[in-house]
Amino acid sequence: MVDPLPLRVLKALVRGAWWVEYGTRRGFARLLRRPGYRLAGSCGGCARCCERPTIQSGRVTWNLPVLRRLFLAWQRRVNGFELIEADEETLTFVFRCSHFDWTTRRCDSYASRPFLCRDYPRGLLDQAWPDLFPECGFRPISSNAEGMRAALAATDLSPEKREELEKKLFLR
């Protein structure tokens, strides 16, 4: 189901406001601290990120029924996300996307896709331990990878152990 014109216009307006807020927030974050990871690789089109879009909410949205209903209504109506699971422990909503075609593994509204989809996996790079899908062509690289690799090279670790640590610490 391709988005109708009014919905594409609404998404474009929200996208514009989001870019302003996002750019400001990310710009200040870069001024205040060094980013923990940079992104390497490219999208291989596995579409794993499209199978079950997941959004972690804040406590206020999760606990206030009115905000929760508004949040879920927005996801359903504007983004085409149907709620399939809610995890109270992690405050996470798991959705099925009505725009994802399981046969072609493509989005039928790619041009007007939500930011959750646009920003994957970039949005995970602010986390302490970015967890990408194993099939994903992208990979996080630690911002101080060179120094950490040099420090590992100076140890008496076996090559296998060093390689394992480099992978687990996102050094390659």
Side-chain angles (χ1 to χ4, degrees):
M1 148 189 102
V2 177
D3 285 337
L5 182 62
L7 194 51
R8 287 194 311 254
V9 169
L10 174 63
K11 284 184 175 184
L13 291 171
V14 170
R15 192 168 42 247
W18 187 88
W19 275 116
V20 170
E21 187 272 334
Y22 177 77
T24 305
R25 182 171 32 92
R26 197 162 266 179
F28 278 121
R30 284 190 181 130
L31 285 173
L32 299 174
R33 64 174 169 77
R34 188 172 155 186
Y37 301 95
R38 61 183 168 79
L39 199 56
S42 62
C43 180
C46 72
R48 281 293 312 276
C49 53
C50 304
E51 291 177 359
R52 292 171 47 105
T54 304
I55 302 173
Q56 187 173 24
S57 74
R59 291 196 181 281
V60 174
T61 302
W62 186 272
N63 291 318
L64 288 177
V66 171
L67 285 179
R68 185 177 173 143
R69 280 194 300 275
L70 279 170
F71 174 80
L72 293 174
W74 175 272
Q75 298 306 325
R76 184 178 51 256
R77 178 66 188 113
V78 176
N79 292 334
F81 292 169
E82 294 294 331
L83 182 66
I84 58 172
E85 188 180 322
D87 182 356
E88 189 169 357
E89 185 177 319
T90 61
L91 307 180
T92 303
F93 296 105
V94 180
F95 300 94
R96 180 190 57 77
C97 181
S98 63
H99 295 289
F100 181 62
D101 184 336
W102 285 84
T103 307
T104 63
R105 304 200 56 78
R106 300 274 181 232
C107 177
D108 69 11
S109 294
Y110 187 78
S112 64
R113 68 195 185 281
F115 279 101
L116 171 72
C117 305
R118 286 178 188 276
D119 203 35
Y120 184 85
R122 206 167 293 105
L124 299 176
L125 297 180
D126 292 334
Q127 295 180 356
W129 204 260
D131 189 19
L132 279 58
F133 293 107
E135 301 87 355
C136 186
F138 289 108
R139 64 189 185 286
I141 304 290
S142 178
S143 61
N144 59 351
E146 293 300 320
M148 291 177 73
R149 271 201 308 269
L152 283 175
T155 65
D156 61 350
L157 292 172
S158 69
E160 296 82 22
K161 190 63 172 175
R162 188 176 301 124
E163 185 177 327
E164 179 186 346
L165 280 171
E166 287 180 1
K167 183 177 180 182
K168 287 182 179 179
L169 295 171
F170 305 114
L171 304 181
R172 309 190 215 161

